[in-house]
Amino acid sequence: MNTSPRPWWKDAVVYQIYPRSFMDSDGDGIGDLPGITARLDYLRDLGVDVIWLSPHFDSPNADNGYDIRDYRKVMAEFGTMADFDRLLAGIKARGMRLIIDLVVNHTSDEHAWFQESRKSRDNPWRDYYIWRDPAPGGGPPNNYTAFFGGPAWTFDEATGQYYLHYFAAKQPDLNWENPKVRAEVHDLMRFWLDKGVDGFRMDVIPFISKRAGLPDLVGEERRAPQFVYADGPRLHEFLAEMRREVLDHYDTLTVGEAFGVTPAQARDLVDSQRGELDMVINFDVVRMDAQGWRKVAWTLPRFKALWAELDDCGPFGWKSVFLSNHDNPRSVSHFGDDDPAWVERSAKTIATLILTQRGTPFLYQGEELGMTNFPFERLDQFDDLEVAGRWRDVAHRVSEAEYLESVRALARDNARTPMQWSSGPNGGFTTGRPWLAVNPNAAWLNAQDQAARADSVLAHCRDLIAWRRAQPDLLDGAYRDVDPDHAQIFAYRRGEGLLVVLNFGRETVRWPVPAGIAVRGLAYAPKGQTVVIENGVVALEGWTSAVLTVG
Ligand code: TEU
């Protein structure tokens, strides 16, 4: 029997900050650490427990900080180490915690290790990266493709070999087979933990172990190489070593970004008896309507089936719950209804889902306001290298209109437009020129307006976060979908005492409570939205959510 105390992160609500787009304090159009520090009261008032900060390290920004040049230095645009220390102190002073991004599948090609590594075949850092000779007939060593377009190999003239990169050519993959690389990673983790950070979100962590011999992708593997990249033979060993060497000596939260991981593999990664990760960020739901770059249809029954499948994270596992982040469209545009007449109700419904599923909820900046996708109209409006990179791959066989239609729905830049603090210039994000355009709906969709209204999305998130703390059934109760086939209602039990009912459409629905569940009353609903319980039927207005007590 497991007698250890319940870890703090099981009851926590996590809030992700993408620093580039959160708050600019110095007018250069780029968000920064002092900007975040200035907004800590906003986050405390919202009631979140943990902040996950996307990369804040020195970087040439080929991929907005996911290409790190120096792991021990703060990105100049974001401030200094003193600014980081002030931010961390401000977070602690408010009773919150901080986890940072650990991006160690790859570095920037401008990292000192790679600068050395590429110099010569016998350089002491050569084996920090993955170098291979050209294929016998010339060309890349195998047919691996990169997520940002083109092959996963780039030829380096100086030494006549190719280096491997699963992402951009400016993001060479580290060679985790080399014990020195692993020791370097452990060291840099200790550096930040000793400063007082409370853990890590680990970027594409399942990719660190490469398949032995790097054989070609075959058949279906070519369409979704992430499943091959995430399936290396030493992944579990490397994670257990990291736990032993580093994490066991601190009180941390570790959440692995599990791109390419199946639910079955995820169960191993989060099995606390194995000692690897505390939870993972699973892609099944957020990418359910994406085939590569192409947007395909999704349905509510399929959506529900995926939640049910993910809920099974094994007897010793735990999971994260999220519907958006900096790599995905805005949740209200993606799975809700971002029509101005419905956006607030719809965003509240989605927030209820996130805050009442079993697992640790992750809210992404602006989601607490119902921020929407940006009305992109042309390819040249996108900043993200992924949009141009994939376009280069497919332009010869796909029309620009067809590509744009998918990309405007799914592109990562939708989530990266600046936070909408007010209806003022640039949504109150900056006094300068924002690095990425502010969504024009900041005029009426912003934090200042919502903070003043008791029925706003922001107020709903705040109220529900506070309320859930005192609900053992929400924190730990078993999960059971009670009507998996309904096309508009998502309804699930939490523990013995609660039933959550969400209306995923505009029409009012009269939903008959399934036999065997006795509804006792309404425990929670967003302010100003009508829920009527009568004769075993729950009537919910369009895009309305309710938590009911059952017995
Ligand atoms: O994301 C990797 C990932 O899983 C994808 O979302 C990826 O961004 C792409 O869309 C694949 O199709 C992580 C980071 O979250 C992302 O921002 C980085 O660009 C990427 O790794 C590389 O570090």
Side-chain angles (χ1 to χ4, degrees):
M1 208 180 88
N2 189 349
T3 51
S4 47
R6 183 177 168 86
W8 55 267
W9 39 259
K10 284 198 175 175
D11 300 332
V13 176
V14 182
Y15 184 95
Q16 182 193 351
I17 292 182
Y18 194 65
R20 204 172 185 78
S21 300
F22 192 66
M23 182 65 208
D24 176 22
S25 72
D26 61 4
D28 68 354
I30 297 174
D32 47 43
L33 302 185
I36 301 171
T37 304
R39 298 291 164 155
L40 287 178
D41 285 343
Y42 170 86
L43 299 175
R44 183 204 50 207
D45 293 349
L46 177 58
V48 299
D49 306 282
V50 180
I51 294 169
W52 151 26
L53 191 62
S54 273
H56 63 281
F57 314 94
D58 176 45
S59 163
N61 284 304
D63 187 20
N64 289 352
Y66 283 93
D67 48 324
I68 296 172
R69 184 165 48 202
D70 185 339
Y71 289 99
R72 288 176 170 80
K73 210 167 144 191
V74 171
M75 191 190 297
E77 296 88 327
F78 291 175
T80 62
M81 193 59 91
D83 292 326
F84 179 87
D85 293 339
R86 267 190 292 272
L87 170 62
L88 182 57
I91 290 170
K92 302 269 169 178
R94 287 165 182 80
M96 299 185 286
R97 303 188 200 238
L98 177 67
I99 65 170
I100 59 174
D101 227 299
L102 184 72
V103 188
V104 288
N105 171 69
H106 46 267
T107 68
S108 166
D109 65 341
E110 298 181 27
H111 194 290
W113 300 334
F114 191 75
Q115 294 294 311
E116 285 296 324
S117 184
R118 77 190 324 176
K119 279 185 184 161
S120 68
R121 292 191 185 208
D122 55 9
N123 185 284
W125 281 270
R126 186 66 169 179
D127 285 341
Y128 271 46
Y129 296 86
I130 300 164
W131 294 96
R132 293 286 183 278
D133 286 330
N142 75 6
N143 67 359
Y144 279 16
T145 51
F147 293 108
F148 298 148
W153 296 96
T154 290
F155 187 69
D156 207 43
E157 294 287 346
T159 55
Q161 285 192 312
Y162 284 86
Y163 66 88
L164 181 67
H165 53 87
Y166 285 167
F167 293 90
K170 282 189 69 65
Q171 293 165 297
D173 280 40
L174 283 164
N175 175 19
W176 277 69
E177 299 291 324
N178 182 347
K180 284 192 202 152
V181 166
R182 306 204 297 275
E184 299 266 21
V185 170
H186 300 161
D187 253 13
L188 76 91
M189 291 173 76
R190 288 186 203 104
F191 173 83
W192 290 100
L193 288 166
D194 289 341
K195 272 190 171 288
V197 309
D198 300 286
F200 302 96
R201 174 271 189 185
M202 301 187 184
D203 192 64
V204 289
I205 198 71
F207 291 0
I208 57 177
S209 166
K210 302 331 191 212
R211 268 201 180 165
L214 300 177
D216 274 344
L217 301 170
V218 293
E220 279 303 298
E221 292 174 351
R222 305 171 72 135
R223 299 193 342 151
Q226 63 268 29
F227 291 100
V228 171
Y229 300 166
D231 193 29
R234 300 185 68 186
L235 171 63
H236 298 290
E237 175 198 335
F238 293 156
L239 290 174
E241 178 187 58
M242 184 188 269
R243 162 91 31 201
R244 239 178 13 250
E245 293 292 320
V246 183
L247 298 165
D248 272 347
H249 308 279
Y250 302 83
D251 178 20
T252 59
L253 159 60
T254 57
V255 47
E257 189 201 24
F259 188 37
V261 165
T262 62
Q265 280 172 308
R267 282 193 276 278
D268 280 348
L269 289 171
V270 301
D271 178 343
S272 61
Q273 309 246 307
R274 295 170 60 106
E276 297 177 21
L277 299 171
D278 296 326
M279 57 183 98
V280 296
I281 294 171
N282 195 295
F283 278 65
D284 296 54
V285 176
V286 280
R287 293 281 161 88
M288 69 179 293
D289 58 345
Q291 281 172 4
W293 59 271
R294 196 185 291 276
K295 164 104 171 94
V296 296
W298 69 278
T299 66
L300 189 64
R302 178 77 192 126
F303 182 84
K304 295 190 276 188
L306 291 170
W307 282 109
E309 186 178 19
L310 288 180
D311 185 63
D312 176 12
C313 45
F316 303 106
W318 191 251
K319 76 178 202 290
S320 73
V321 175
F322 79 106
L323 275 177
S324 70
N325 58 30
H326 66 294
D327 290 334
N328 290 287
R330 289 285 176 179
S331 57
V332 72
S333 302
H334 199 180
F335 297 110
D337 186 338
D338 65 6
D339 182 287
W342 292 97
V343 66
E344 284 216 17
R345 282 174 167 262
S346 180
K348 287 186 230 174
T349 307
I350 284 171
T352 305
L353 169 65
I354 295 169
L355 292 165
T356 61
Q357 284 274 335
R358 194 170 75 102
T360 299
F362 281 58
L363 292 171
Y364 176 65
Q365 66 183 40
E367 194 166 32
E368 77 281 16
L369 307 174
M371 275 178 62
T372 67
N373 281 356
F374 186 86
F376 288 107
E377 280 163 3
R378 299 182 321 272
L379 286 184
D380 65 18
Q381 290 175 299
F382 293 91
D383 172 84
D384 184 7
L385 79 169
E386 182 172 88
V387 173
R390 290 176 167 188
W391 176 231
R392 277 194 296 277
D393 279 356
V394 301
H396 64 282
R397 57 181 172 87
V398 171
S399 78
E400 186 165 336
E402 192 185 350
Y403 184 69
L404 183 63
E405 192 189 324
S406 280
V407 158
R408 66 199 302 276
L410 296 179
R412 310 195 296 178
D413 282 340
N414 282 305
R416 298 178 178 187
T417 64
M419 251 310 259
Q420 297 170 199
W421 292 106
S422 73
S423 59
N426 302 315
F429 162 71
T430 179
T431 54
R433 195 182 130 85
W435 73 276
L436 189 63
V438 174
N439 194 311
N441 64 19
W444 52 268
L445 198 168
N446 60 71
Q448 192 177 32
D449 165 68
Q450 294 201 16
R453 278 192 293 122
D455 65 348
S456 64
V457 188
L458 180 63
H460 169 67
C461 290
R462 186 193 59 213
D463 295 349
L464 189 50
I465 289 171
W467 187 72
R468 81 189 285 282
R469 279 186 206 291
Q471 306 298 322
D473 278 335
L474 284 188
L475 295 176
D476 208 18
Y479 174 81
R480 187 162 62 87
D481 186 336
V482 298
D483 194 355
D485 298 325
H486 200 293
Q488 194 179 325
I489 293 290
F490 191 176
Y492 44 88
R493 288 286 287 267
R494 289 302 317 281
E496 291 307 308
L498 296 177
L499 174 69
V500 180
V501 190
L502 312 165
N503 183 349
F504 260 71
R506 295 183 182 182
E507 292 74 39
T508 297
V509 175
R510 293 176 49 77
W511 181 70
V513 179
I517 305 177
V519 175
R520 303 225 184 280
L522 181 64
Y524 186 92
K527 284 200 180 57
Q529 290 180 226
T530 312
V531 179
V532 180
I533 308 162
E534 230 170 35
N535 303 326
V537 172
V538 180
L540 289 162
E541 291 182 317
W543 288 110
T544 290
S545 54
V547 185
L548 311 172
T549 43
V550 293

